[in-house]
Amino acid sequence: MDLIGADRQSLSEGLEKLPGESNYFKGRNSAGWQTHIPQFRRVKFHEVYPHIDLVYYNGDHGLEFDFIIKPGGDPKAIRLKWQGAERMVWGSRGDLELKWKGSGLSLEPPRVYQEAVGGSLPVAGRLQLRPGGEIQFDLGPYDSTRPLIVDPVLAYSTYLGGTSDDDIYAIAVDSGGDAYVTGSTVSTDYPTTPGAYSSSSSGGVVVTKLNPTGNALVYSTFFGGSGGETGTGIAVDASGNAYVAGLTNSTDFPTTPGAFHPAVGCMTNSAFVLKLNPAGSSLIYSTYLNGTTGLTCYSDANAIAIDSAGNAYVTGQTDYTDFPTTPGALQTTLVGGSASGDAYIAKLNPAGSGLVYSTYLGSVDGDGFGIAVDGAGNAYVTGRAEYTPFPTTPGAFQSVLNGGGDAFALKLNPTGTALVYSTLLGGSLVDMGQAIAVDSGGNAYVTGSAPSTDFPTTPGSVQPTMGPGLGGVFVTKVNPTGTGLAYSTFLGGGTYVAYIFGTGIAVDNSGNAYVTGLCFSPGSSNFPTTADALQPTLTTGLQSAFLAELNPSGSALVYSTFLGGDGADNGTGIALDPTGGIYVTGDATSTNFPTTSGAYKTTYNGSIEGFVTKFVSAASATPTATNTATFSPTNTPTWTPTPSPTSTSTNTATPTVTGTPTWTPTSTPSLTATSTPTDTSTPTPTATYTPVCEPHVWPDPFNPRYAVNGMLKFDCLPSGANVSIYTVSGETVANIYESGGWALWDGKNRVGSPVSAGFYYYVIQVGERVFGKGKILVNR
């Protein structure tokens, strides 16, 4: 690469000196030896062009560089040329590929904005190809007295999976930029690594660790027994131990000697918690988390967080009447009764051998979906409260349930004995909190789905009113006392109810909130994106993931983009690293989901694939001189070798499922038929079933009441109701319709194939009015 017209006598300066030195002993003549050479993180060349400095540094893709444009500097003065380039090809996103002798480089387009009062102002920027093969950078108008800041750009993006269904639900990142994900698979060829805990399975929990550049697996392993299981939450400590929580219906799920609950009692499904060593080769501990007596013997674990001492904090739902609680805990008895159970919060010690505390969290049919921990050991939980009573605290922002279900946010003290605060968050319909994060000041950030147009928002937020439609993401920042909202905003609004979901949230040291989730197409085309988005418009697929960054006041979007292709793509988890990396995970069915050259897996296998995408904010890593404007043209630029083309598999066959699944609701099944078919045909119910409705604001449609001959029965449906079945990542599986006050689901998707085992959600609605939501567990 040549800098055409640059001052080749430019003075160089080492920046950010590193510990250690280099020594070069070349030849026999010691006069030519060079010793005690210092090492630097960055090297700056001053005034390579008038009023323009050049800084080289080691970035995510190896050697990278920034141009620092000071007042009076002209970006057009920068002219780059690659010797030997045989041809240059424009990519679909404004990137420029340089190719020669079977190899190549990929130049990302510039993405630039300037901070201003009230939010960020994007600055247009693009690559420009000049005669003679020279490349320049073309910027739109900007204020030369302000720094130019590069927005997040794609660092890497990779598929992750085998040839069958692979779902990734959660992600964590360590200080070195390694990404840890968990989920479930039914692929027998899901990628594993030599020396991993288990390298062969017919399916089960997966835990995979990707290296910082996203081009290789550090380790990847299965966990499971003879039934079915999935990993739903993951965290990582400073030593690289991975903590995973999830759900299993295997009585032989791998547990460890001395674990808190190594053997099962009664169970249809049980939560589990495990701790995996840094090499991914052995379990430090693994335990069930359940009781011995319950309405359906059910518990799940939806999320996990850890503190600096290695204590694991877990939340979920259980209907065990003897779910293990600790003396003096906030709530030691089950409130759920004949409904589907209570939320719970449990804190396990670092060895996994006992509970530091464990408590139920009533109300009837409550569920904990997200958990976070602050430096003092306070646990912050969000989820869904369906019915009263739900415990709130005096002075809480909202103490009364507004609709058929509300989100909640609470803070539990380090001993699990009392609420620091607890508040509901909701409007007149069914709203749900799905993820929570906390900053150093004790502010809690919550995201989820809100079909309620009267969901509480704050003036001056990004979007204080719902967009057209009846379903949107909400992002709410609760103050440290739980008495008020620092901000609360919608993001978008779907044409149909709850067609946009917020599933993951993280917060950086400056108080910027990062949210991921999914948008359905075409109902969510009004989801707000920024001018410099990777994908500013909704794709043509069924649904798309998204990434949105809000400023600390919630008054503006710093960055927002869709992330998807021509299929159904869902964001399920998000995490940050200390250097400004933003990691999004989820699952995809798009053949053209955006991947990067050199990533671990760039082609689609033809079923549901996991994905991991890393964005990076160059602003967090670029030194900015006093009173200068900084322009990093290509992250900054990033020169990524382009591999030879590879074919894309178009295999879309549905895997064969043997045996008819049994669909177990989260409430007590009332079985009036005693046999369950074992073949793949759909049996005809032979018994007579009388709907039983419990008195509520309307007939109780929130929980499936019966499992009928291998079918799931929804009772007490209002006339004309439609029941939509979704995957946990929001993909529509099936739609069934009320007939005579009830409806049956045969456990098949819209094309008549049996669905995979795992969690599903349902939404009951008549027209655009939501009558209820709930959770289903399908057993294989």
Side-chain angles (χ1 to χ4, degrees), residues 578-661:
T579 63
I582 307 155
Y583 302 72
V584 178
T585 196
D587 54 70
T589 65
S590 292
T591 59
N592 60 342
F593 186 87
T595 59
T596 50
S597 298
Y600 171 70
K601 188 174 187 289
T602 59
T603 56
Y604 173 67
N605 274 346
S607 190
I608 300 174
E609 291 251 28
F611 72 82
V612 181
T613 300
K614 178 183 178 182
F615 294 79
V616 63
S617 173
S620 64
T622 302
T624 304
T626 304
N627 297 323
T628 65
T630 302
F631 168 51
S632 303
T634 63
N635 186 37
T636 47
T638 298
W639 320 118
T640 304
T642 303
S644 302
T646 56
S647 61
T648 300
S649 170
T650 57
N651 174 24
T652 58
T654 302
T656 302
V657 179
T658 58
T660 299

Side-chain angles (χ1 to χ4, degrees), residues 387 429-430 451 497-498 698-705 712-726 735-738 741-743 761-776:
Y387 306 117
L429 296 179
V430 182
V497 173
W698 46 73
D700 181 8
F702 295 103
N703 300 294
R705 307 301 294 177
L712 187 68
K713 183 173 184 179
F714 296 86
D715 258 337
C716 308
L717 297 182
S719 177
N722 168 58
V723 183
S724 299
I725 313 293
Y726 299 99
N735 288 289
I736 56 177
Y737 300 93
E738 175 271 338
W742 54 277
Y761 289 113
Y762 66 85
V763 177
I764 300 171
Q765 60 191 81
V766 177
E768 294 184 338
R769 182 180 179 185
V770 174
F771 279 83
K773 293 180 181 180
K775 184 164 58 177
I776 301 167

Side-chain angles (χ1 to χ4, degrees), residues 35 96 119 129 193 209 230 234 265 398 408 414 434 506 709 738 748:
T35 61
L96 186 61
L129 188 58
T193 51
K209 179 180 178 181
T230 187
I234 192 166
Q398 179 184 328
F408 65 82
Q434 293 192 264
N709 283 347
E738 175 271 338
K748 296 180 179 179

Side-chain angles (χ1 to χ4, degrees), residues 208-378:
T208 300
K209 179 180 178 181
L210 276 161
N211 70 358
T213 57
N215 61 10
L217 302 180
V218 179
Y219 68 72
S220 186
T221 184
F222 289 105
F223 294 97
S226 56
E229 40 266 322
T230 187
T232 52
I234 192 166
V236 61
D237 66 20
S239 299
N241 299 295
Y243 301 70
V244 180
L247 178 141
T248 179
N249 60 29
S250 296
T251 57
D252 56 350
F253 186 84
T255 59
T256 52
F260 169 66
H261 203 318
V264 299
C266 88
M267 62 169 271
T268 53
N269 298 280
S270 173
F272 71 82
V273 183
L274 64 83
K275 180 178 179 180
L276 184 64
N277 73 349
S281 58
S282 65
L283 289 168
I284 297 172
Y285 71 74
S286 179
T287 182
Y288 290 102
L289 193 57
N290 58 21
T292 60
T293 304
L295 303 172
T296 63
C297 292
Y298 174 89
S299 62
D300 63 28
N302 293 320
I304 188 170
I306 58 171
D307 62 22
S308 59
N311 298 292
Y313 300 71
V314 183
T315 191
Q317 185 187 65
T318 183
D319 71 0
Y320 283 101
T321 56
D322 63 346
F323 185 83
T325 59
T326 49
L330 173 70
Q331 180 186 325
T332 57
T333 58
L334 183 75
V335 171
S338 62
S340 63
D342 287 359
Y344 72 85
I345 307 169
K347 177 180 178 181
L348 280 85
N349 65 18
S353 59
L355 295 171
V356 180
Y357 69 72
S358 180
T359 180
Y360 290 106
L361 183 66
S363 64
V364 177
D365 198 27
D367 210 336
F369 287 130
I371 193 166
V373 180
D374 65 20
N378 298 290

